[in-house]
Amino acid sequence: MIPPMIEAQKNRREILGGAAGAAAATLWPRAIRAQAAPRIVIVGGGFAGASCARALREADARLAITLVEAQHTYTAPPLSNGVLGGTRTLAQQQFGYDKIAAAGITVAIATATTVDAQAHSVTLSTGDKLRYDRLVVAPGIALRFDAIPGYSAAAAAQLPHAWTSDGTQIDLLRRQLEAMDDGGLVAIVAPVNPSRCPPGPYERASMIAHYLKTKKPRSKVVILDSKDTFTMQELFLKAWKELYPGLLEWKSLSSGGNVASIDIAKKTIETDFDNYTFAVANVIPPQIAGPIAKLAGVADRTGWCPIDPVTFESLQQKNIHVIGDAALAGAMPKSAFAGSVEGKLCAAAIAALLVDKKPAVPKLVSNCYSVVAPDYAISIAGVYHPVNGEYVDVEGSGGVSPLDAPAALRAQEAKFADAWFRTNTAEIFG
Amino acid sequence: MRLPPHIGEGITQTLIMRTKRLLPALALALMPANVIAAPAAPPPPPGVAACTGCHPKSGGDAAIPQLAGHSADDIIAAMKAFRSGTRPATVMDRIAKGFSDDEIRVIAAWYAAQK
Ligand SMILES: Cc1cc2nc3c(=O)[nH]c(=O)nc-3n(C[C@H](O)[C@H](O)[C@H](O)COP(=O)(O)OP(=O)(O)OC[C@H]3O[C@@H](n4cnc5c(N)ncnc54)[C@H](O)[C@@H]3O)c2cc1C
């Protein structure tokens, strides 16, 4: 079945003569070619890819833009921990692609299965082959299901990771928390760096603790960590002491938090020092760039994708750009905020490159809120620019919320978290 | 589910073949005007990409101060006050410190020009 957005798009594209223009582009001399319709294909319709598509559409009306996305519905991870805390609904996290299609972007709901960088083509799960002048790879992360003995892709149906834009995962974790008896243990397995949303596991622990405190106060949360330090650590520890005393425990690497194996049937997690019997387990495995990055030849040995920080073009493949969590972006965190900005800047760079102009040197901001209770949020902000081919902090900028702050400031940050989410998602999906 | 044929390889091939017979200039003339129209507005300056996720170019959320349509002078004054710490802030003090006078001026001018 052809999804309606593609059907609607078809008519529009015929009016615009997109394919004819694109085909002609390859035949015309350079001067005229600049007037034709270059084809841009974007793989991945998350914060990064969908932002890029919208910004390209605004930057240049001539472009033939195709956004390839595997899912009909995008479940935005930011604030999704609120679904676990009972402060937000799953529906508030979910977005479709109709408005993006209506804006004049061809939306293909399919999985990109291969990229031929020499032939400039992408093959989809539908069998279709898309030709591109420039390809943007924005697939987010792949979870390394092989990293923890006992865990696997299949195990995620029982021990959810809830760490991607697949909404069934967060829904499953929510339902498991609801079904759990009072007095049970909720174990969160936190990954090594680099990973998506560094404060995310700790925000999640807070939101689950909030739910338990209000609904199942004899229960407990334990974070089993492969790290000895984490972002905004002091702020989180202080908040937990105030809000969730005795309810939430953090086990660092050196205090035995590192997970050795998981036994799903017995519902136990073995760490370097201990054995935990859990009622609910949320396993967040280590991560690499989404699989299409490797298939396109843009991922390096780390599993992530090195890029030119000005154009976001891959250092390994010409005419392929990488944005969002999949990219190796120096000091910049893997956040939706940063991914969305990267999408816009990559679009501006592509628009410039297509008319043989030099792209402007970008400046990026990432500002991530962590909501630890209703009316209580903290944040980490950073401003970044490229220096010697790598993103670094602009000296003297950025930082975290003050350790000592009145309740009104924490409440204000919680309001900002909501408002950022509404504004940024409206900009992308609205 | 199949994609519509216009973005499939097969159709593109036939169109390439058909287009080949046209002189480039003629092909250009046959294209609808809106395909070759220049962008309506110049793209926003680079610093702006970092701002619009919270401060959109129009509309927006009541919880976050709107910038669009404010005078450039007001925006510049606010940014400089956040940067120097003379104006109390929740997050803008941390962010403003990453922007130079020139960047602030360009961003402020862009917002002032949005209606
Ligand atoms: C619990 C949690 C809380 C978070 N909170 C915040 C927050 O408060 N603020 C913040 O800024 N960030 C937050 N983040 C981080 C944020 O979600 C990610 O950084 C962001 O989603 C990255 O965007 P992306 O576009 O790179 O990847 P994604 O959002 O994962 O989007 C990638 C898309 O590509 C699609 N895709 C992948 N491969 C293919 C393929 N081969 N073919 C077709 N489609 C494909 C996927 O279906 C997906 O929709 C949080 C993350 C989590 C898990």
Side-chain angles (χ1 to χ4, degrees):
Chain A
M1 199 200 82
I2 296 172
M5 66 187 81
I6 289 187
E7 202 49 68
Q9 197 46 42
K10 187 172 166 183
N11 299 331
R12 190 187 158 87
R13 281 288 299 269
E14 278 167 0
I15 296 166
L16 288 176
T26 57
L27 301 168
W28 294 345
R30 193 174 184 87
I32 298 175
R33 206 193 307 158
Q35 297 290 303
R39 297 154 302 182
I40 314 293
V41 175
I42 301 163
V43 175
F47 275 88
S51 285
C52 187
R54 293 305 281 265
L56 276 167
R57 181 73 297 153
E58 284 221 349
D60 192 336
R62 304 166 307 144
L63 304 179
I65 307 163
T66 305
L67 179 64
V68 182
E69 166 55 51
Q71 308 178 100
H72 277 98
T73 302
Y74 178 74
T75 303
L79 300 191
S80 67
N81 289 325
V83 176
L84 306 175
T87 57
R88 293 179 64 83
T89 64
L90 187 61
Q92 284 178 296
Q93 301 301 126
Q94 296 189 316
F95 302 90
Y97 291 90
D98 302 33
K99 299 272 178 57
I100 293 181
I105 292 157
T106 302
V107 177
I109 300 298
T111 301
T113 51
T114 55
V115 172
D116 185 334
Q118 260 62 53
H120 283 209
S121 69
V122 181
T123 306
L124 308 188
S125 49
T126 52
D128 291 280
K129 198 178 258 192
L130 307 180
R131 310 260 304 163
Y132 65 81
D133 295 297
R134 295 238 167 214
L135 173 67
V136 179
V137 172
I141 53 161
L143 298 164
R144 286 193 41 221
F145 286 112
D146 59 344
I148 303 170
Y151 198 61
S152 63
Q158 286 157 283
L159 275 50
H161 53 77
W163 210 245
T164 65
S165 61
D166 166 6
T168 61
Q169 280 282 306
I170 197 89
D171 192 42
L172 175 62
L173 186 50
R174 169 74 189 159
R175 282 188 285 109
Q176 290 182 341
L177 291 169
E178 279 172 353
M180 179 184 120
D181 291 334
D182 191 6
L185 177 72
V186 180
I188 298 175
V189 178
V192 288
N193 292 325
S195 64
R196 154 172 293 180
C197 193
Y202 313 96
E203 180 192 56
R204 175 167 291 171
S206 312
M207 274 288 122
I208 292 177
H210 169 72
Y211 169 73
L212 298 177
K213 183 180 170 180
T214 41
K215 295 278 159 57
K216 295 170 185 177
R218 291 190 295 116
S219 315
K220 273 193 171 169
V221 186
V222 64
I223 306 169
L224 302 173
D225 211 330
S226 328
K227 302 184 294 294
D228 265 333
T229 57
F230 61 92
T231 180
M232 293 195 272
Q233 184 167 335
E234 274 191 290
L235 282 158
F236 273 112
L237 294 178
K238 182 166 190 268
W240 293 342
K241 216 170 169 180
E242 278 169 37
L243 300 164
Y244 311 119
L247 221 157
L248 199 168
E249 189 185 5
W250 173 59
K251 283 280 186 189
S252 68
L253 172 69
S254 51
S255 62
N258 187 52
V259 171
S261 66
I262 300 176
D263 188 326
I264 297 173
K266 288 200 194 125
K267 292 195 147 196
T268 57
I269 296 178
E270 201 184 315
T271 66
D272 292 347
F273 296 178
D274 280 306
N275 228 317
Y276 294 86
T277 303
F278 59 82
V280 173
N282 166 221
V283 181
I284 308 166
Q287 297 140 42
I288 51 175
I292 197 68
K294 190 173 177 196
L295 295 170
V298 293
D300 72 8
R301 285 166 60 196
T302 64
W304 305 99
C305 309
I307 51 158
D308 173 325
V310 174
T311 58
F312 296 89
E313 191 166 355
S314 164
L315 296 182
Q316 302 187 172
Q317 297 287 353
K318 282 222 138 313
N319 302 307
I320 304 183
H321 301 249
V322 186
I323 53 174
D325 284 359
L328 271 173
M332 230 151 31
K334 297 187 186 304
S335 72
F337 195 113
S340 171
V341 181
E342 289 171 31
K344 294 173 206 169
L345 291 169
C346 178
I350 288 175
L353 291 169
L354 287 171
V355 293
D356 295 329
K357 272 205 207 144
K358 202 168 170 247
V361 175
K363 186 139 235 182
L364 270 100
V365 170
S366 175
N367 184 32
C368 289
Y369 299 96
S370 287
V371 183
V372 295
D375 304 322
Y376 190 131
I378 53 180
S379 65
I380 176 161
V383 186
Y384 308 90
H385 62 173
V387 174
N388 299 329
E390 221 183 10
Y391 273 106
V392 298
D393 284 281
V394 175
E395 225 182 321
S397 72
V400 302
S401 308
L403 195 55
D404 286 306
L409 191 98
R410 306 287 192 228
Q412 181 69 10
E413 293 225 58
K415 280 211 179 70
F416 281 177
D418 270 4
W420 160 71
F421 184 84
R422 279 193 299 267
T423 308
N424 209 356
T425 54
E427 189 185 27
I428 299 168
F429 296 101
Chain B
M1 169 223 349
R2 297 277 306 170
L3 286 173
H6 72 275
I7 54 171
E9 180 86 318
I11 285 288
T12 313
Q13 286 303 333
T14 46
L15 283 167
I16 289 173
M17 282 160 56
R18 234 184 276 147
T19 317
K20 236 180 208 162
R21 281 188 240 118
L22 301 173
L23 287 170
L26 182 57
L28 186 64
L30 288 176
M31 292 182 51
N34 52 353
V35 174
I36 53 167
V48 167
C51 312
T52 54
C54 293
H55 307 279
K57 71 175 183 183
S58 65
D61 199 283
I64 296 178
Q66 297 308 294
L67 298 182
H70 276 273
S71 82
D73 285 347
D74 284 355
I75 298 171
I76 291 169
M79 279 293 276
K80 288 187 175 172
F82 283 135
R83 202 174 56 183
S84 66
T86 52
R87 180 167 167 173
T90 311
V91 294
M92 277 314 297
D93 48 349
R94 292 175 258 160
I95 294 171
K97 288 192 178 81
F99 289 85
S100 68
D101 284 356
D102 283 349
E103 287 167 335
I104 289 173
R105 210 174 308 122
V106 170
I107 292 167
W110 184 83
Y111 273 112
Q114 310 302 313
K115 289 294 165 260

